[in-house]
Amino acid sequence: MVGVKDLKWTPIPIELAKKPDYFISGHRMCAGCAAPVIVKLALKALPNPENVVIVNATGCLEVASTIYPYTSWKRPWIHNAFENAAATASGIEAAFKALKAKAVWKDDLPIVLVFGGDGGTYDIGLQSLSGAVERGHKFVYILYDNEAYMNTGIQRCSSTPQFAQTTTTPAGVVIPGKLEWKKPIGFIIAAHGNAYVATANPYFWIDFVKKVRVAAEYNGPAFIHAISICPRGWYHSSKITMTVSRLATETCLHPLWEFDPENKEYRITDKSLEIARNPEKKVPVEEYLKLQGRFSHLFTPTRRDDIISEIQRKVDRDWEYLLKLAGMK
Amino acid sequence: MVEEQVEMLLNGDFAVAWAWKHVEPDVVAAFPITPQTLIVEKFAEFVANGEVRTQFINVESEHSAISAMVGAAAAGARTATATAANGLQLMHEILYIVSSMRLPVMMAVANRAVSGPINIHCDHTDAMGQRDAGWIMLFTEDAQEAYDTTIQAFKISENPDVLLPTMVCLDGFLVSHTAMNLKVFGNPKIVKDFVGEVRPVARIKLMGEEVELSLNPRNKIPLTFGPFCYYDYYFEFKRQQIEAMKAVPEIVERVNKEYYELSGRLYGNGRLVPWNVDDADIVAVVMGSAAGTLRWVARKYRERGTKIGILKVRMFRPFPWEEVQKLLENKEVVAVFDRAQDAGAMVGPLSLEVLSALYYSKNRPKNTVTYIFGLGGRDLTPELAEKTFEELIRIKEGKEKPFIKKYIGVRE
Ligand SMILES: Cc1ncc(C[n+]2csc(CCOP(=O)(O)OP(=O)(O)O)c2C)c(N)n1
Ligand code: SF4
Ligand SMILES: [Mg+2]
């Protein structure tokens, strides 16, 4: 089995806290940004964080952490371009395999760890990612999904939730923000059939670090879709990042699950498993929407019950679908 | 000492594949496009039969091919890829990243016209679209030169004073698919010793430590490749790249000479291959397989006492402008044969380089003209070459007015 249940590792908070940070302070990401939390946790979750090579797609994380001549990365790190992080990772993985075959590299093969934003993953980088997954390279791809192109100023992505405002899908009198439902990236990658795929949320951090560990130990491509709260682009106070993050999962907008490619099994995990077993714990989406300025046009000047209930209906529908996939319905 | 070689019947693509086989790069990533396909197909055979230990990545696009090269080369591997035309255009964005990261990637380009309309045959427009990407660019004339130059390219690029990628161009079909008897080293070890068994990864001083210029996790100080660079440092990065380019001409010459000692084959000084240029009144400047055609036709004129010379440009980037200036001093007529599109430009890209060089010459040729030829694989026949030579002779004799450029072999 490939999954968190089978993992022979229990993350102990104090031990993780004591591990050295390989992503260090001084970077220029916004206060309250969840992306650095995701990066730090992921690095701490690796079995051997000394032996890692990191790839970063163009985006907020890359730009704000490597403003020359400074860098926040204390492990080898490379940024190539926006749409090619997975192809870059293929090259690195192949290189170490070749160097190992020639006995130039004598240690274990390093983990190739990729961080890509949603733009670099769902949209412009999808081909490169699909190709690398299909070829079966061993790499761990962590998508930090802040649901828009933040680095260039909060533009629409296929990851942007329906009815959210972005600078290219502004809420006007005719069009109420983005019109399309969010693309199910996790299912798309899982459909390749050979990858360990999981969703994650840094608020539910034990579930997250376990999944990173499973991914690192899996002998093939692994993809982790982490929701990444962006106070700047979602228009909310930087103080409530973790509240918003928690609600993303509690409302079932971003449920926690994993896909085991060997047994072809979807499994619901952690908080989402609790909700699956106790449906009354599912929080109405409105609780999540109302905290964020990107959805403010659903509440003022007039309340759009029609839209809010449409979102709720689709979230319920998708949740039911996931329960079915996981054999819980 | 010239080493033992074996004769083989190979076309240009297979010649590149054989050169790769002898070099045995660590990582090859490529995507098929005519007329490059035979390179990767042949090399895939070598991989499948265990004749090389190369990691061969069948990527899903050229963009990913060159992107994988970036990752692999930054990891310290010896890398090679090949493409043409639309594939090269698709790589365009990443080519600049390769050179700016100072990654010694080897790339073969089987030159092909660029869409549209879509075409699969030779011209140099694909490579010319990349001429400012910071790559070393070498043009070859036949399959033998493609084999030799491919091997040389690794040694040039990986030189610690250079650390720039090299593009080895071979004319689509005219070279890529045209078989000739050529010589390859009988013992691949000769090639391995020439380029080095493994890639020599440069070492740099950083904050008091010596580190490998790579993503090596064992580095005392881990390196950050491809950072974000504002106006406060970007220009210095570019300036250093330009400085690295300056080291190239001499290293190309040295590698050409060292290779000659092993193979017995010499390509001019590595940069330019002049044929009867010194005493010539009329000189044709050209790149790629057309050099052979022009030489063949010029030979007949020489026999009749007409002093025509042919200057083959082998190294287009960095452009050896000072030498070109010198070689063309005081000539009666210089004709640049340009196999690339020039829409909206004064002349074609090769000609622009030559004219710029000549502008600063104290002894400029009396006449300089440009012929645009061979787009989309249109043949430069000996008859057509002869017609142009006749025209150049008339210009020399004052019987015809010189011009800036003409398109030859095309329906007007
Ligand atoms: C080929 C290309 N097109 C466009 C851009 C401009 N660009 C840079 S980052 C970015 C958006 C990044 O969005 P995402 O991947 O979601 O990361 P985020 O900044 O949101 O973390 C864009 C559009 C680029 N660098 N390269
Ligand atoms: S814009 Fe959003 S994703 Fe980017 S640094 Fe700020 S909070 Fe983080
Ligand atoms: Mg984003």
Side-chain angles (χ1 to χ4, degrees), chain A residues 28 50-54 62-63 66-84 87-99 101-102 104-107 110 127-129 131-132 134-135 137, chain B residues 23-27 53-55 57-61 63-78 90 93-94 97 101 103 197-198 214-219 222-230 232-233 237:
Chain A
R28 300 186 203 175
E50 292 288 324
N51 198 15
V52 65
V53 176
I54 300 161
E62 163 266 325
V63 165
T66 66
I67 299 174
Y68 190 85
Y70 305 106
T71 179
S72 282
W73 300 91
K74 290 189 84 170
R75 299 318 303 141
W77 180 96
I78 185 168
H79 159 247
N80 187 350
F82 188 15
E83 67 280 47
N84 62 1
T88 310
S90 333
I92 295 170
E93 187 237 27
F96 279 98
K97 272 196 198 157
L99 294 172
K102 291 186 181 172
V104 178
W105 179 255
K106 296 189 184 78
D107 296 351
Q127 171 184 320
S128 165
L129 174 60
E134 182 274 330
R135 292 190 299 273
H137 296 281
Chain B
V23 171
E24 202 183 2
D26 299 310
V27 181
R53 290 167 296 172
T54 305
Q55 286 285 319
I57 318 178
N58 266 305
V59 279
E60 83 301 332
S61 74
H63 197 283
S64 285
I66 193 70
S67 300
M69 294 287 94
V70 170
R78 176 173 281 155
L90 192 56
E93 176 200 23
I94 310 303
I97 295 171
M101 276 193 206
L103 301 174
E197 179 74 31
V198 292
S214 78
L215 295 168
N216 191 336
R218 267 188 271 154
N219 267 340
L223 299 189
T224 287
F225 276 71
F228 187 78
C229 224
Y230 277 114
D232 51 355
Y233 282 102
F237 266 81

Side-chain angles (χ1 to χ4, degrees), chain A residues 27-36 59-61 64 118 144-146 148-154 228-234 238 241:
Chain A
H27 60 75
R28 300 186 203 175
M29 310 220 37
C30 305
C33 177
C60 268
L61 176 63
D118 43 296
Y144 71 101
D145 180 6
N146 50 32
Y149 304 160
M150 295 310 175
N151 179 50
T152 34
I154 322 167
S228 184
I229 308 312
C230 165
R232 173 76 189 83
W234 295 12
S238 57
T241 291

Side-chain angles (χ1 to χ4, degrees), chain B residues 268 272-286 291-292 294-312 326-329 331-334 389:
Chain B
L272 295 168
V273 187
W275 180 88
N276 284 327
V277 166
D278 282 352
D279 72 334
D281 303 321
I282 299 170
V283 179
V285 184
V286 67
L294 293 186
R295 242 184 263 120
W296 191 76
V297 175
R299 198 163 282 140
K300 289 200 285 189
Y301 282 86
R302 276 274 163 186
E303 280 162 15
R304 282 185 241 140
T306 313
K307 290 185 181 158
I308 297 186
I310 310 294
L311 179 58
K312 179 173 94 163
K326 195 116 209 91
L327 284 164
L328 298 181
E329 262 178 6
K331 297 299 177 196
E332 294 286 333
V333 186
V334 168
F389 284 176

Side-chain angles (χ1 to χ4, degrees), chain B residues 33-52:
Chain B
I33 181 167
T34 305
Q36 151 269 30
T37 38
L38 302 179
I39 302 177
V40 278
E41 288 170 2
K42 180 52 80 185
F43 194 69
E45 269 175 48
F46 297 145
V47 175
N49 292 327
E51 294 172 53
V52 291

